[in-house]
Amino acid sequence: SHAWVFISLLSAFSLAGSDALTKKAVNDSNEYLIAFFRLLFSLPLLFFLWFFVPVPELDRQFYLAFMVALPIEMATVVLYVKALKLSPLSLSLPFLSLTPVFLIANAYMIVGEKVSLQGALGIVLIAAGGYLLNAGEMKKGLLRPFSAIARQKGAMMMIAVAFLYSITSSLGKMAIEHSSPVFFGITYFTVLTICFAPIGLWKGRGDLKAFVAARGYLSMVVPGFLYAVMVVTHMIAMNMTKVAYMISVKRTSLLMGVLFGYFLFKETNIRERMLGAFIMFAGFVVVVNAR
């Protein structure tokens, strides 16, 4: 059944919406406060769902995966936020599409999942499409985002984020297999929020007073809610298929992000992104039908 595809797309859509609204807020606020409040406002929905989720039997594997993934996840939050602040989105975001490529190896090493040749082809197409989609500098050369790596710290950070995500996704799959998808999603992001709070509030301490006075946190209520929807749908879809397939479908959020940028921020250059969108869609079709 292809239910996982629909749920992964829902996860992609809620992530793209959350990212677009977060980007809008981060332009004139401290990026650490924005990251913290997005996590914080994801908790009400997660706590509400907690009432309906039975506590599964937990074993050593669950705690191991949980504890190893957590510090890595903290690093990705910090790197991600810094990357957004340091580099134009068009130069940093393309590299997020590398996560499923890294997953081909990491998911095999961590959870023993092998992707088929067809699956790998689809993943590579999605990554290439995601890259082309955001490489708005094509006129200056196809490898402009890659040549920007040397100059742009944000691009380097995003590659690191893509790689680290491939590890946390695999560990997440392991934790889900030893608990349940929604239970893991709720507990993991609750602990992540608690652990990130001192970092976010300390790094944002200079702007916190003005941020609260101006009610800047209100701009994070909807992104936080959408983030919670992303977490739950992510975990459920992850439980239904191979990690690399689920994450590659979820990376269509990059395509949705372009559309949000066009409709919400009146970002131009949508036409030159059509090639990337087309390749990404082709990859999507290949992955969805892969074994």
Side-chain angles (χ1 to χ4, degrees):
S1 127
H2 281 143
W4 71 270
V5 179
F6 174 72
I7 298 169
S8 300
L9 286 172
L10 189 59
S11 188
F13 182 78
S14 41
L15 178 63
S18 181
D19 276 352
L21 294 168
T22 300
K23 179 195 165 190
K24 201 172 175 181
V26 86
N27 284 339
D28 39 30
S29 304
N30 179 292
E31 65 271 31
Y32 283 93
L33 292 177
I34 291 291
F36 169 64
F37 280 99
R38 172 155 90 162
L39 283 170
L40 189 67
F41 286 124
S42 71
L43 295 183
L45 177 61
L46 295 180
F47 287 163
F48 171 73
L49 291 173
W50 208 334
F51 282 106
F52 306 98
V53 177
V55 177
E57 286 271 310
L58 302 175
D59 59 9
R60 208 171 132 253
Q61 288 298 103
F62 170 79
Y63 290 110
L64 182 70
F66 195 104
M67 297 319 282
V68 175
L70 200 63
I72 303 174
E73 195 84 48
M74 298 264 294
T76 61
V77 175
V78 174
L79 284 169
Y80 192 96
V81 177
K82 272 186 163 325
L84 286 185
K85 193 81 169 180
L86 282 174
S87 292
L89 274 180
S90 60
L91 285 181
S92 54
L93 268 186
F95 296 109
L96 263 193
S97 55
L98 291 172
T99 302
V101 179
F102 292 138
L103 266 166
I104 295 175
N106 281 343
Y108 177 64
M109 290 192 294
I110 296 171
V111 278
E113 285 185 353
K114 280 184 188 163
V115 303
S116 66
L117 200 58
Q118 183 186 343
L121 173 69
I123 288 167
V124 170
L125 282 173
I126 286 177
Y131 175 82
L132 291 171
L133 193 63
N134 286 290
E137 312 276 344
M138 288 304 170
K139 292 194 232 10
K140 301 169 192 165
L142 190 64
L143 297 175
R144 174 72 206 281
F146 272 102
S147 64
I149 294 177
R151 297 189 310 278
Q152 292 277 356
K153 271 192 179 155
M156 275 304 289
M157 286 177 178
M158 219 38 127
I159 293 174
V161 168
F163 180 72
L164 293 174
Y165 271 157
S166 71
I167 298 173
T168 56
S169 305
S170 303
L171 290 166
K173 174 81 180 215
M174 190 165 136
I176 286 169
E177 285 173 349
H178 291 266
S179 60
S180 76
V182 182
F183 175 82
F184 171 66
I186 294 167
T187 49
Y188 187 65
F189 278 87
T190 301
V191 176
L192 178 67
T193 306
I194 293 166
C195 293
F196 186 71
I199 300 173
L201 294 172
W202 174 253
K203 285 282 203 178
R205 66 193 182 282
D207 304 303
L208 186 59
K209 213 169 171 183
F211 186 72
V212 173
R215 300 207 168 146
Y217 54 86
L218 291 178
S219 65
M220 296 316 292
V221 173
V222 177
F225 175 81
L226 288 171
Y227 199 72
V229 174
M230 181 280 290
V231 167
V232 173
T233 47
H234 173 107
M235 299 303 172
I236 292 171
M238 187 104 97
N239 195 38
M240 297 169 81
T241 187
K242 291 177 179 170
V243 188
Y245 295 168
M246 185 267 152
I247 298 291
S248 56
V249 169
K250 187 182 169 188
R251 280 294 169 263
T252 56
S253 65
L254 296 172
L255 175 57
M256 298 172 193
V258 170
L259 296 173
F260 277 124
Y262 178 69
F263 291 113
L264 284 181
F265 306 120
K266 303 286 175 273
E267 285 177 6
T268 48
N269 67 4
I270 190 133
R271 196 175 297 134
E272 60 195 62
R273 294 171 159 199
M274 280 308 169
L275 174 67
F278 181 75
I279 294 173
M280 200 167 205
F281 183 72
F284 168 75
V285 173
V286 174
V287 165
V288 165
N289 294 297
R291 286 276 162 265

